[in-house]
Amino acid sequence: MFDFNQEKEKFAKQIMEKEREKFRNPKNVPHIVLLDISMPVMDGFELLEKINQEKLAPDAKKIILSNLSQDADVERGNKLGISGYIVKASSTPSEVLDKVNKIMEQK
């Protein structure tokens, strides 16, 4: 019998393994990680937890860009060390760029 959750977890592990190797090269470590909460296979919170646990981008600014705007979502992101939370539905593309640039300028 097909177990969707088992396949989902297997696929997520394969992706993480591939990306982990990229991040181990100092040339590939990003300065910014921009992610959504609603993603296939693994949600943004799970991805952020993995990035933090494995110290894949320790100095990168981590920003959530999502349509989910509940206080609980923002708080969970803050607990995971995000530098900013941008709600897509209330931001134009140029406003998103402005907000990301302001976050990147912060120390």
Side-chain angles (χ1 to χ4, degrees):
M1 186 165 107
F2 182 78
D3 184 345
F4 178 76
N5 287 329
Q6 186 177 18
E7 288 300 311
K8 177 181 158 182
E9 187 173 322
K10 181 179 169 185
F11 184 67
K13 285 181 182 178
Q14 289 172 345
I15 291 171
M16 285 302 297
E17 211 35 62
K18 181 180 175 185
E19 296 306 310
R20 183 181 297 117
E21 291 308 312
K22 287 181 187 176
F23 277 46
R24 298 232 188 277
N25 181 340
K27 292 181 189 176
N28 295 332
V29 176
H31 298 281
I32 183 171
V33 176
L34 190 63
L35 55 102
D36 198 343
I37 295 171
S38 300
M39 300 188 308
V41 182
M42 173 186 303
D43 73 33
F45 292 128
E46 291 172 303
L47 178 59
L48 195 52
E49 286 171 353
K50 296 247 184 225
I51 289 170
N52 290 340
Q53 287 170 355
E54 298 189 27
K55 298 176 177 57
L56 295 177
D59 299 323
K61 300 271 186 171
K62 296 159 188 97
I63 303 170
I64 292 176
L65 176 63
S66 182
N67 276 325
L68 299 178
S69 60
Q70 299 294 317
D71 289 342
D73 296 322
V74 177
E75 182 60 32
R76 185 171 177 193
N78 287 332
K79 286 181 181 177
L80 290 169
I82 61 168
S83 299
Y85 196 108
I86 302 169
V87 179
K88 288 191 278 189
S90 63
S91 302
T92 65
S94 61
E95 290 171 334
V96 170
L97 287 174
D98 289 343
K99 291 175 183 180
V100 168
N101 285 327
K102 284 180 184 166
I103 292 168
M104 291 303 292
E105 291 171 0
Q106 298 171 357
K107 290 198 172 201

